[in-house]
Amino acid sequence: MLWTKSLETGVAKIDEQHKELFRQVDILVDRSQADRIEKTLEFLKSYVAKHFADEEYLQKINNYPKAEAHKKLHVDFTKTFKELYDKYKTAGDRKLTVVLSINSAVIGWLKDHIMVHDKEFATYYLAKNQARK
Ligand SMILES: [Fe+2]
């Protein structure tokens, strides 16, 4: 799996969901699981939405000052993912190429997003919830 410890934010729920996203994305390029591609893409679509909603909720209830900007990043990626998904649906015999580009797009986006934006929120969240104790 392409998830590494350096991607850990320290917020257990978020980290678990990130790991699951990486696990699912891995299936897309696993030739022994080629029959699961379509199902995996559908799962990813709903799991990404759930994950974003959970993160946004966590930011909201913690009064995270950058919640709106963070949400915008999620909205943009949801749009990109939908476009790629639609491209896959209509790719005909080029489906494999599209799957590979979905795999690298999702991994690339996730890594950048986690390293910068999710970690920034995690720092805020952990400091805030530590202070409350
Ligand atoms: Fe996020």
Side-chain angles (χ1 to χ4, degrees), residues 43-125:
F43 177 85
L44 269 173
K45 212 170 135 189
S46 58
Y47 197 80
V48 163
K50 180 202 156 31
H51 167 62
F52 286 172
D54 286 349
E55 246 185 47
E56 287 159 16
Y57 177 72
L58 212 53
Q59 295 186 356
K60 202 178 151 205
I61 60 168
N62 283 283
N63 298 311
Y64 183 48
K66 292 187 174 177
E68 274 309 309
H70 197 118
K71 188 176 178 170
K72 168 108 179 38
L73 299 170
H74 288 169
V75 169
D76 289 347
F77 181 73
T78 302
K79 209 176 139 223
T80 304
F81 188 82
K82 194 190 175 302
E83 281 165 10
L84 287 165
Y85 183 76
D86 291 345
K87 209 171 157 190
Y88 170 83
K89 285 277 187 195
T90 56
D93 57 7
R94 287 185 50 258
K95 274 192 160 65
L96 205 61
T97 315
V98 179
V99 165
L100 292 177
S101 65
I102 293 178
N103 174 269
S104 60
V106 174
I107 287 175
W109 186 87
L110 266 179
K111 279 188 169 169
D112 291 348
H113 182 78
I114 293 170
M115 290 309 278
V116 179
H117 304 284
D118 290 346
K119 281 197 172 184
E120 195 179 358
F121 167 63
T123 305
Y124 170 87
Y125 175 87

